């Protein structure tokens, strides 16, 4: 049997470039060479695409971008992967795996290019990626389900005047959480204890996105659910817990704080796991997601489950929850990789 030709894309023009360089190693290591021809394209921070064929050990430390063997590359409708090597070598691709987090990777933009090229790809389609990336649109869709609690919020746009301060102080109380609508890995997220901090938190968040959410603070533990979908069948993992070694689950706390930990079978009140799974599936369906997503919640002391956000291309680093939660329900990483490749699709 012919080997399937897989294009794995990593890096990206996003604040989560470094996370992608770590996530992708899980794919490179665990997609077997005897069944698949793996082709790697790295997207440099400035957006350049290069075909990468050097030692993959350079990737997790982000030392791959200037390798002399890199060849500029592009995806071209009706052609496939084209290497700008002087001969315009074309590599036919059967399936694309975008191991990209955040902007330009998880937001429907690159998925649009895959659609134009008619190449099946792993994960959510254009619309579900775009809506899930935008926390304000996600809230509206999840609100329409009527049954799933979320944090109260005020939306601020880049050109709004200072009215947001009045609106936020009327509706919410300090401390408030401020976050860019389209970001990830906690970049641009801050906790504001007072008006002065609110103003600087909004300013910071606006450097990441032109739309910002100010939310009430939810006091609770952070629970996550891995969702996998193939041919319309949806599987939800048990709830896992992310324990931040800091005041909140900031970028530092996620990736550089050894006090932060992930717990696979957290001690949670009866019924919470089922509720998390039920909500996660309902949210995944309502947003039109396909392939995979990680759905994140808060659990208050009284056991209330509150939806926080969805990640359509969740982290796959050594310390990331998605692969661990899937492993715990009978999808060890090699099997998960094959299932993800099998779940790839187009026009969804
Ligand atoms: N409303 C909130 N109440 C309490 N903590 C919050 C709230 N919103 C965000 N956080 C904290 O900030 C972290 C990052 O926010 P999140 O909405 O998950 O954005 P990101 O997409 O960057 O992960 C969360 O994991 C949590 O620790
Ligand atoms: Mg998050």
């Amino acid at each position: 049997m012919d080997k399937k030709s897989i294009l794995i894309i990593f890096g990206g023009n996003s604040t989560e470039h470094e996370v992608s360089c770590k996530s992708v190693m899980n794919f490179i290591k665990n997609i077997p060479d005897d069944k698949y021809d793996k082709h790697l394209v790295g997207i440099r921070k400035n957006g350049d695409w290069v075909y990468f064929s050097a030692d993959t050990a350079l990737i997790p430390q982000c030392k791959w971008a200037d390798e002399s063997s890199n060849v500029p590359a592009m995806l071209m409708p009706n052609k496939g992967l084209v290497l700008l090597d002087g001969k315009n070598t074309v590599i036919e691709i059967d399936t694309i795996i975008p191991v990209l987090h955040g902007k330009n990777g998880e937001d429907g933009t690159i998925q649009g290019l895959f659609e134009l090229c008619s190449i099946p790809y792993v994960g959510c389609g254009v619309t579900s990626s775009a809506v899930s990336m935008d926390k304000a649109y996600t809230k509206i869709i999840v609100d329409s389900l009527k049954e799933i609690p979320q944090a109260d919020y005020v939306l601020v746009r880049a050109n709004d005047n200072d009215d947001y301060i009045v609106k936020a102080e009327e509706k919410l109380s300090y401390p408030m959480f401020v976050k860019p609508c389209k970001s990830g890995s906690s970049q641009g997220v801050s906790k504001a204890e007072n008006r002065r901090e609110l103003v600087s938190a909004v300013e910071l968040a606006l450097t990441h996105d032109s739309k910002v959410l100010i939310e009430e603070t939810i006091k609770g533990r952070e629970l996550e659910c891995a969702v996998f979908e193939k041919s319309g069948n949806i599987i939800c993992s048990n709830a896992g817990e992310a324990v931040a070694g800091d005041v909140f689950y900031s970028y530092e706390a996620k990736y550089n704080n050894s006090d932060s930990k992930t717990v696979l079978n957290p001690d949670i009140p009866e019924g919470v796991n089922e509720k998390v799974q039920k909500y996660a599936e309902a949210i995944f369906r309502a947003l039109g997601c396909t392939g995979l997503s990680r759905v994140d919640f808060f659990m208050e002391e009284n056991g209330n489950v509150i939806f926080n956000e969805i990640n359509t291309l969740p982290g796959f680093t050594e310390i990331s929850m998605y692969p661990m939660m899937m492993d715990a329900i009978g999808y060890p990483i090699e099997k998960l990789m094959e299932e993800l490749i099998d779940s790839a699709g187009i026009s969804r």
Side-chain angles (χ1 to χ4, degrees), residues 26 226 315-317 320-328 331-333 336:
N26 237 331
F316 268 80
T317 70
S320 294
M321 287 287 266
Y322 187 92
M324 289 189 224
M325 291 192 286
M326 289 302 294
D327 179 77
Y331 287 77
I333 190 77
L336 178 61

Side-chain angles (χ1 to χ4, degrees), residues 57-326:
L58 295 166
I59 296 175
Q61 300 304 323
C62 296
K63 292 191 178 138
W64 55 272
D66 297 320
E67 264 310 287
S68 56
S69 58
N70 287 347
V71 178
M74 61 194 266
L75 270 177
M76 199 167 167
N78 299 330
K79 282 264 186 283
L81 182 66
V82 180
L83 308 191
L84 305 178
D85 55 358
K87 295 177 286 188
N88 290 352
T89 304
V90 174
I91 301 177
E92 272 188 47
I93 300 294
D94 296 313
T95 304
I96 299 173
I97 313 181
V99 190
L100 300 166
H101 307 301
K103 222 179 195 168
N104 301 314
E106 207 177 334
D107 60 357
T109 50
I110 204 165
Q111 287 76 11
L113 178 58
F114 305 154
E115 292 284 343
L116 294 175
C117 293
S118 308
I119 304 174
Y121 54 97
V122 170
C124 292
V126 174
T127 313
S128 55
S129 297
V131 175
S132 302
M133 183 77 207
D134 186 314
K135 291 180 167 73
Y137 284 122
T138 305
K139 271 189 185 288
I140 293 167
I141 302 283
V142 174
D143 258 343
S144 76
L145 294 173
K146 305 274 188 240
E147 59 166 343
I148 302 177
Q150 308 186 68
D152 251 353
Y153 67 100
V154 168
L155 180 64
V156 187
R157 290 173 197 276
N159 296 322
D160 286 355
N161 53 26
D162 293 345
D163 280 1
Y164 74 83
I165 300 174
V166 177
K167 284 190 202 145
E169 289 183 350
E170 260 171 26
K171 195 167 176 186
L172 317 167
S173 46
Y174 291 107
M176 299 174 198
F177 262 85
V178 179
K179 46 190 163 184
C181 281
K182 299 188 293 296
S183 184
S185 289
S186 303
Q187 307 257 11
V189 178
S190 353
K191 188 174 187 178
E193 301 281 354
N194 51 47
R195 187 179 294 180
R196 185 180 51 79
E197 288 184 10
L198 176 66
V199 171
S200 52
V202 169
E203 268 170 22
L204 171 72
L206 281 172
T207 64
H208 290 258
D209 191 10
S210 58
K211 273 167 43 189
V212 164
L213 286 180
I214 305 173
E215 285 186 354
E216 67 171 314
T217 293
I218 306 295
K219 268 180 112 174
R221 290 159 67 184
E222 299 196 41
L223 301 180
E224 311 191 340
C225 182
V227 184
F228 172 70
E229 179 273 348
K230 188 170 84 170
S231 312
N233 295 318
I234 293 180
I235 294 164
C236 291
S237 75
N238 292 317
E241 182 173 9
V243 184
D246 206 338
V247 280
F248 73 97
Y249 210 30
S250 62
Y251 186 88
E252 279 300 306
K254 279 175 184 171
Y255 301 107
N256 300 321
N257 184 332
S258 56
D259 290 340
S260 295
K261 54 180 194 255
T262 48
V263 183
L264 275 180
N265 288 304
D267 184 10
I268 47 180
E270 217 182 298
V272 167
N273 188 47
E274 292 68 24
K275 194 172 256 182
V276 162
Q277 290 176 321
K278 186 175 139 211
Y279 286 177
E281 178 167 349
I283 291 164
F284 187 92
R285 280 189 198 281
L287 291 164
C289 295
T290 46
L292 76 160
S293 288
R294 199 192 71 226
V295 190
D296 297 352
F297 300 90
F298 298 107
M299 185 195 69
E300 290 178 317
E301 210 167 356
N302 60 6
N304 263 358
V305 175
I306 296 170
F307 168 64
N308 179 32
E309 62 142 352
I310 181 165
N311 297 280
T312 53
L313 207 300
F316 268 80
T317 70
E318 288 300 307
I319 56 161
S320 294
M321 287 287 266
Y322 187 92
M324 289 189 224
M325 291 192 286
M326 289 302 294

